[in-house]
Amino acid sequence: MKIKVGFGFDVHQLKDNHPFFVGGVNLEHHRGAFGHSDADVLLHAICDALLGAANLRDIGFHFKNTDPQWKGISSIVLLKETVKLIREKGWEIGNVDAMLCLEAPKINPHIPKMQENIATAIDISIEDISIKATTNEQMGFIGREEGVVAYAVCLIEKQ
């Protein structure tokens, strides 16, 4: 068996009165992430971790932010497409571990639904999806609620 580890990172600007999708969940908040797709920072970091582990470049290579096909699209769709790409290369997903960094809103109540959304999209057990969240202690662009950051690592396996 061969195993590989991937790392993903994403950041999005927050704007007033904009939807805020994280892990496929629309969070109630006065600010939301801005981007070409739905700007789901968590799912984008996971896509990059998976693509990187399989040596398939990055999310921007496959889903260009200049392509109208991806404008406003749910990042769940991007995650499913990413999984197709890595499975075409013979890889299966072992686990995903992710960290969100934002000041507000509180993420903890939404983690079970995020885990369910991700596990369903990539067809693995909820037990293999870890999501954590922290603040930036009111420092920097995250602390001022100007942006949100996500990090993800994954393990992929090939028989």
Side-chain angles (χ1 to χ4, degrees), residues 15-129:
K15 292 193 173 190
D16 289 334
N17 304 312
H18 200 75
F20 198 4
F21 288 94
V22 179
V25 175
N26 190 357
L27 303 177
E28 292 293 325
H29 194 56
H30 68 279
R31 304 196 95 189
F34 180 77
H36 186 69
S37 67
D38 66 2
D40 191 321
V41 68
L42 177 61
L43 298 185
H44 293 181
I46 293 169
C47 286
D48 265 345
L50 292 167
L51 290 166
N55 195 21
L56 291 172
R57 305 205 40 185
D58 61 39
I59 191 172
F61 179 80
H62 294 279
F63 313 109
K64 294 180 180 16
N65 66 3
T66 55
D67 187 338
Q69 172 183 354
W70 309 118
K71 178 73 174 161
I73 198 162
S74 167
S75 294
I76 290 286
V77 173
L78 302 181
L79 181 58
K80 288 178 180 179
E81 289 298 314
T82 296
V83 171
K84 283 183 193 175
L85 289 169
I86 69 165
R87 288 198 171 130
E88 285 172 4
K89 296 286 188 181
W91 295 101
E92 288 299 324
I93 300 163
N95 75 304
V96 172
D97 182 21
M99 172 68 79
L100 287 159
C101 189
L102 70 167
E103 293 300 315
K106 293 292 184 194
I107 296 301
N108 195 46
H110 306 286
I111 288 176
K113 182 62 179 165
M114 291 176 188
Q115 288 174 297
E116 179 184 327
N117 291 344
I118 295 164
T120 299
I122 63 179
D123 195 27
I124 66 172
S125 170
I126 287 176
E127 295 298 316
D128 295 322
I129 307 290

Side-chain angles (χ1 to χ4, degrees), residues 35 42 57 60 119 121 125 129-130 136 138 154 156-157 159:
L42 177 61
R57 305 205 40 185
S125 170
I129 307 290
S130 172
N136 215 45
Q138 300 178 335
C154 70
I156 60 173
E157 307 165 306
Q159 293 299 324

